[in-house]
Amino acid sequence: LPYNPLSPLCPSTMKTFIPLLLSLAPLVSGFAPSTRHAAITRAPLSTSTVVTRATASTHEEDIELTRKVIIDYMAATDVGSDSVVDDDDDDDTTEAPIAPPQAAEKPKKKKKKSPPPVVEAGPVDISKLNIIVGVITKAWEHETADKLFCEEIDVGEAEPRQIATGVRAHYNAEDMVGRKVCILANLKSRKLMGFPSHGMVLCASTEDGSTVKFVEAPEDAVVGERIMVEGFEGEPATENQVVKKKMLDAIFPDLRTDENGVASYKGVALTAGTGKCVAEGGLADASVS
């Protein structure tokens, strides 16, 4: 193929053959001087190089002349100075080994969190209610609700509980203060006719609602003491659980007074201190709520 100096392979080709030509120059000059002379005369050389080649005769001069011929040829064909090979260069340059492509790291899969173990709620019974002993310290009539009393009740907490009770038809405010009563404490606070009521005072009432009496705690019961029912021990539910699971609807039907007026759950008495919780006056066979 004809030599094409514009070819992108030209520089690398010349760089490969230059050391070979330098090595073969002495041999060619010894037994093929005509061939060497023809190659030199056909190369596009500068005037100084032509003069030099015409006078060269010795073996060493042949080598030097060949070197100059190659340099002039490269300059004439725009190979570039970077492609000229110096005789002191051993051309030991080797291409750095290409590292094999690394496999892309796979994104780590997030471990799925195992759901928390299901805790058995257990049966809904009176143990889910936090019934405690309280003392009414203050009572007054609700401003707009003619059936409600507003009370402050000491239940052993930092602040007294405010609770509204619908017993105005059965009690006077003065009769309520100082009573030791049973308080259902794990109810969410809610407003009754605008009054924030946090809890419930347990009362016994007849079926027709004509008679309503407080369920009173024993005299030796301590304020804040939890009222218990034998055989139904357990931690009380939270305020939210009581509402969400409608526990009052499941428990209250079994909460009544017996023939002696003792408040009982499924026939078992509610106790605190050393005694039993009894409806005032011994109101028997009445529902408790």
Side-chain angles (χ1 to χ4, degrees):
L1 295 177
Y3 170 73
N4 181 10
L6 298 180
S7 172
L9 297 177
C10 184
S12 59
T13 304
M14 292 299 297
K15 188 174 181 179
T16 302
F17 281 96
I18 285 171
L20 180 60
L21 291 173
L22 290 175
S23 300
L24 295 177
L27 297 176
V28 172
S29 64
F31 63 85
S34 60
T35 302
R36 174 177 112 2
H37 176 74
I40 291 174
T41 56
R42 293 177 65 183
L45 305 177
S46 64
T47 304
S48 61
T49 304
V50 173
V51 173
T52 303
R53 74 186 182 194
T55 58
S57 60
T58 66
H59 181 72
E60 290 78 6
E61 289 174 340
D62 286 340
I63 295 175
E64 181 62 24
L65 176 59
T66 304
R67 172 184 173 84
K68 290 181 179 181
V69 169
I70 293 171
I71 293 174
D72 279 0
Y73 182 78
M74 290 173 64
T77 55
D78 293 331
V79 173
S81 59
D82 290 341
S83 300
V84 178
V85 180
D86 189 83
D87 57 353
D88 294 330
D89 187 4
D90 294 335
D91 198 18
D92 292 336
T93 304
T94 56
E95 295 184 0
I98 301 175
Q102 295 182 353
E105 293 184 2
K106 294 182 179 179
K108 295 182 179 179
K109 294 182 179 180
K110 293 183 178 180
K111 293 183 179 179
K112 293 183 179 180
K113 293 184 179 179
S114 56
V118 178
V119 179
E120 294 294 333
V124 176
D125 55 40
I126 198 168
S127 68
K128 301 298 182 183
L129 302 184
N130 187 27
I131 305 173
I132 59 178
V133 177
V135 174
I136 300 174
T137 58
K138 186 178 179 180
W140 65 96
E141 295 178 354
H142 194 284
E143 293 180 355
T144 57
D146 56 5
K147 294 182 178 181
L148 293 179
F149 278 120
C150 301
E151 305 110 36
E152 286 187 359
I153 304 176
D154 180 11
V155 294
E157 297 173 343
E159 298 291 335
R161 292 277 186 114
Q162 289 189 330
I163 298 176
T165 307
V167 294
R168 275 178 67 175
H170 308 281
Y171 288 93
N172 295 321
E174 303 80 33
D175 298 333
M176 296 175 62
V177 176
R179 287 181 180 270
K180 188 173 285 188
V181 291
C182 303
I183 306 297
L184 179 52
N186 58 336
L187 294 179
K188 295 184 72 172
S189 179
R190 59 175 184 155
K191 288 189 176 182
L192 297 178
M193 299 296 291
F195 180 78
S197 180
H198 191 188
M200 178 188 293
V201 180
L202 293 185
C203 295
S205 60
T206 56
E207 294 298 328
D208 59 4
S210 59
T211 304
V212 177
K213 298 294 182 179
F214 286 117
V215 175
E216 297 179 322
E219 288 296 328
D220 64 347
V222 179
V223 171
E225 177 184 353
R226 188 180 179 194
I227 295 170
M228 303 299 294
V229 178
E230 186 177 0
F232 296 94
E233 293 81 10
E235 291 299 316
T238 65
E239 295 178 354
N240 285 332
Q241 288 173 335
V242 171
V243 175
K244 185 176 181 180
K245 297 188 177 182
K246 300 180 179 180
M247 292 184 177
L248 299 185
D249 294 340
I251 297 170
F252 275 175
D254 294 316
L255 190 57
R256 302 183 60 85
T257 59
D258 62 13
E259 64 276 8
N260 298 314
V262 177
S264 305
Y265 176 73
K266 294 185 176 181
V268 184
L270 277 66
T271 61
T274 59
K276 299 176 181 180
C277 300
V278 181
E280 183 186 4
L283 182 62
D285 197 23
S287 61
V288 176
S289 61

